[in-house]
Amino acid sequence: MPSLRAPELIGRDAELEELVSLLGVRAPVETPSALALLLSGDAGVGKTRLLTELRDVAATEGWRVVAGHCLDLAESGLPFLPFTEILGRLADEDPATVAAVTEQHPALARLQPGRRLRSPDEPDPDPATPLDRAGVVAAVRDLIDAAARSMPLLVVIEDAHWADESTRDLLSLLFSQPGAAPVRIVVSYRSDDLHRRHPLRRHLAEWGRLRGVQRLALEPLDDPATRRLIKALRPGTLAEADFTSILDRADGNPFFVEELVGASWGGPLPAELADVLLLRLDGLDESALRVVRLASVAGRRVSHALLSAVSDLDGDRLEAALRQAVESNVLVAGRDASFQFRHALLAEAVYDDLLPGERARLHRAFTDALTEQALGTSAELAQHARRAGEPAIALAASVDAAREAMAVGGAAEAAAHYLEALNLMGSVATLPDGIDETTLVRSTAEAFMASGRVARAIKVLRTHLAWIGPDAPAQDRGQLLTAVADALLHIDADESPRAVAEEAVALLRDGPAPLLAAALSVQARAIGSWHPEELRATAGEAMELADRHGLTGIKVDLETTLAGLDAAGGGSGDAWRDAAESARAAGLIDAELRAMYLHARRLHDRGDPAAAESYRALIRRAEENGRPWSPYPGEARPMLAMLMIRDGDPDAAWRLMDVTGQEPPAVFEWLYFALQMFIRFGIRAHGECHAVFEHLREHWHRDGQIALLGGSAELLRAEAAADPATASRVYAEMVAALGPVWGEWFQARLRLSTYVVAAHAAAAPTRTVEEREADAESVARLMGDGQLVIEGIAQYPPGHGPEYHAWVARRSAEHLRWRWLAQIGPPSADELVEGWREAERAFVEYGEVFELARTRVRLAAALRAAGDRAGAREASDLAREAAQSVGARPVLDELAADGPASPPDREPRSELALTPRESEILALVEQGRSNGEIGRQLFIATKTVSVHVSNILGKLGASSRTEAAALARRRGLL
């Protein structure tokens, strides 16, 4: 059998030199071109071989090289897996350094390879005291820096397309916060595995924008290089037909070339690559074939110890079989006494070729070995036991795997393991020892909550409540209802979290104090600060129980809830910051994120510029602890984006909302998309939007903010098109969608009703008298809606922040504008100007660039109507500058429609040389409009209109307005 690996690197000299150059392997390490490099390519294109050559070059140049591999464990994810491998390698090579860093960072011990294996002597991780994810990050960073002090360090992470979420996040931090030591990082991944929603895509986009991170894409070999590779793999004579067949089928992929050459040695080429892969096994004897099939059941990698425990071969025969498999390039021996398939596709092909009964029997053998000898991880045991038809073992192992994942911040992985345990629950007669049904359901819901899947959490809880029925023990139902109420507080739903919490409290009145205290705490949150006396009474009862029984978590949660009373009473909200610090000290990450979010929202509502950094700190803290999509950071992202829009940077907001390649919960995915559509169609008015709005409307039910953002964009488009009918329809639909979940007189209704009034104002100049009178009724209703919101908010002093006051002022100004243009109870020009001056002052105080620009456009029109040409020019210039900075096309269009801020001092007097303003007035004269109506429509003084009309008559030689219109029509001026 020939060697199916070329003795030399073929066709990759240029790529290797580029890698060496970019990483500064041969140059002084203080001046590298790249601190990190992302190596991409299709499966089998030669990434691993290229990195092996890079390793050899680096070692020759005096570098230390460590590698970690990401494995395809399917649903059985193991957080930080490649860094466990790196830690093991460094522990072998430099134990003193590892021991010193571990002493400084005890969290590092949790990642050591031995600690990740199941052992009867090691207690299960306590889910109540999870590992601080930030501690893991700091420990790994310090370990890498320490290992690089004696010699430069090259860290290689292979197959990042299989990386767990925790590993991807840790790499992000290592890339963005490099240490001072000479460290270079190379990450390889399969580009053909990255579908649109692949979770690695977002990280690649982020990494690519970081300074010092470079990319290198490995392309297929060209035909001459492929021919050289074939000759190196198959010395001697090979028919041209065989060359051509391999060239055509391999398409420049070195792995396919190797497989096809290997298959061709043993007989005719099969039609499919899977058949080719299986032909590679034909040269193995029976023992080696049995071992390879056994290894395929384990996955791509398997330890020698586990193979020994599962195989029925004795030690000598097993080693002989493994040696043959390694020499045949089917398996590759690792330094850690493990074996892996040379390529994942080969492992999959071998596994798929097993008979169903054979698979089950081998999975059962693995299950027995993992159970009896405590080899491998809980995730592995769960997978084998499930496929072996051992549901009780699989259930217990899934729970252990979930707890282990939560202990290192892997909420998404934990949720999958817990859900698998729940699915297995109906397949066992009795639950394994130590597993309580209600606790398992709650743990599943909590993991879904931590990963941001709140709706999934509620579904799990409600499904189990329906299954146990109303006659189930009060304690069980009470616990589950407490969890339901807690989850409902994070979403917009018709179901009342307060009512659910009250039911839970009633069921738990005679139950254990911790359960009652938890239910009371959730009830207090559901009551909210708008009912201070009820809140104090409920929270007080819960606090007494928490103090008496030492329930630290509940106590901190209650402190956060009570801090809302300080904010509602006009306080700074600093009590939330204090509560966040208390939660952090107690290691309660969910309570900490909640307090941080509420503090940031308080700053946001007050218009405090510190709000943006508070949101960023919250998002960072959540990512460090493996909860990037839990409810509070998930909601903080669009809040931060809205601040970016307010400050005039919609591009930054768009980038923050871009979740391409990520896997956020559906509610956040659509919320972020809605905000992007608000930027695209509301602020910038780019392209046709009807189909997008209709598609978004299908997802309004997911979250009120989706309806608010999508509907607001529609209202802005309707206003720009002077289409009050569409604006009124969309407004009614939004109220119908938001009223049931936010209350009928929700605060945003003030802004929405103002948009519709503005749409009526934009259309007023073209409406008939009858239409204007009908519009007056609609405008009155809209103003009434806004007044009811104002009166409702006034019941809860103190006053709200600058955004609220800005829209109160804008509402009045838009109403004045409508009255002026519709000529229904019109204000004086001075009243019109003062109304818009007040709106301008309010939006300057609020600081929203886009809406301030729109306000100044209309202020400029009002100033023109009052004859203040200098003021109109100044307001127009400021509006134009802001609109151009944010790309607000509707504002620029409105400025263009209004014409110059003031007419020229001297106007041409030639007979047919009408100015643009005169042409505009002449068109309105032809419609029979009076000078007063023309002035109001064009926002200029009636006297100015009269002067323009006189000039028009003089230029046309007409003695009357009617004659002027006729002459203009005849001469083609209209």
mmCIF file of all heavy atoms in Angstrom, residues 323 387 520 616 849:
data_model
loop_
_atom_site.group_PDB
_atom_site.id
_atom_site.type_symbol
_atom_site.label_atom_id
_atom_site.label_comp_id
_atom_site.label_asym_id
_atom_site.label_seq_id
_atom_site.Cartn_x
_atom_site.Cartn_y
_atom_site.Cartn_z
ATOM 1 N N ARG A 323 -1.984 -0.073 14.485
ATOM 2 C CA ARG A 323 -0.802 0.245 13.692
ATOM 3 C C ARG A 323 -1.119 0.125 12.203
ATOM 4 O O ARG A 323 -0.719 0.978 11.410
ATOM 5 C CB ARG A 323 0.351 -0.675 14.076
ATOM 6 C CG ARG A 323 1.633 -0.423 13.268
ATOM 7 C CD ARG A 323 2.772 -1.289 13.769
ATOM 8 N NE ARG A 323 3.141 -0.927 15.118
ATOM 9 C CZ ARG A 323 3.943 0.098 15.415
ATOM 10 N NH1 ARG A 323 4.429 0.865 14.448
ATOM 11 N NH2 ARG A 323 4.234 0.367 16.665
ATOM 12 N N ARG A 387 -28.145 6.399 21.575
ATOM 13 C CA ARG A 387 -28.138 5.617 20.339
ATOM 14 C C ARG A 387 -28.118 4.119 20.611
ATOM 15 O O ARG A 387 -28.428 3.317 19.723
ATOM 16 C CB ARG A 387 -26.932 6.024 19.490
ATOM 17 C CG ARG A 387 -27.037 7.461 18.986
ATOM 18 C CD ARG A 387 -25.835 7.854 18.155
ATOM 19 N NE ARG A 387 -25.994 9.222 17.647
ATOM 20 C CZ ARG A 387 -25.085 9.851 16.909
ATOM 21 N NH1 ARG A 387 -23.947 9.236 16.597
ATOM 22 N NH2 ARG A 387 -25.289 11.082 16.492
ATOM 23 N N LEU A 520 -42.881 35.171 45.577
ATOM 24 C CA LEU A 520 -43.174 36.547 45.991
ATOM 25 C C LEU A 520 -42.258 37.542 45.295
ATOM 26 O O LEU A 520 -42.677 38.651 44.927
ATOM 27 C CB LEU A 520 -43.029 36.674 47.506
ATOM 28 C CG LEU A 520 -44.133 36.021 48.353
ATOM 29 C CD1 LEU A 520 -43.700 35.938 49.813
ATOM 30 C CD2 LEU A 520 -45.442 36.809 48.218
ATOM 31 N N ARG A 616 -23.054 49.040 26.620
ATOM 32 C CA ARG A 616 -21.886 48.287 26.137
ATOM 33 C C ARG A 616 -21.307 47.418 27.245
ATOM 34 O O ARG A 616 -20.912 46.269 27.002
ATOM 35 C CB ARG A 616 -20.826 49.253 25.605
ATOM 36 C CG ARG A 616 -21.210 49.959 24.312
ATOM 37 C CD ARG A 616 -20.039 50.734 23.733
ATOM 38 N NE ARG A 616 -20.413 51.406 22.507
ATOM 39 C CZ ARG A 616 -20.803 52.680 22.429
ATOM 40 N NH1 ARG A 616 -20.850 53.407 23.544
ATOM 41 N NH2 ARG A 616 -21.125 53.214 21.274
ATOM 42 N N VAL A 849 -30.538 63.584 16.088
ATOM 43 C CA VAL A 849 -30.104 64.287 14.885
ATOM 44 C C VAL A 849 -31.170 64.242 13.799
ATOM 45 O O VAL A 849 -31.503 65.271 13.188
ATOM 46 C CB VAL A 849 -28.784 63.692 14.375
ATOM 47 C CG1 VAL A 849 -28.395 64.287 13.029
ATOM 48 C CG2 VAL A 849 -27.677 63.921 15.398
#
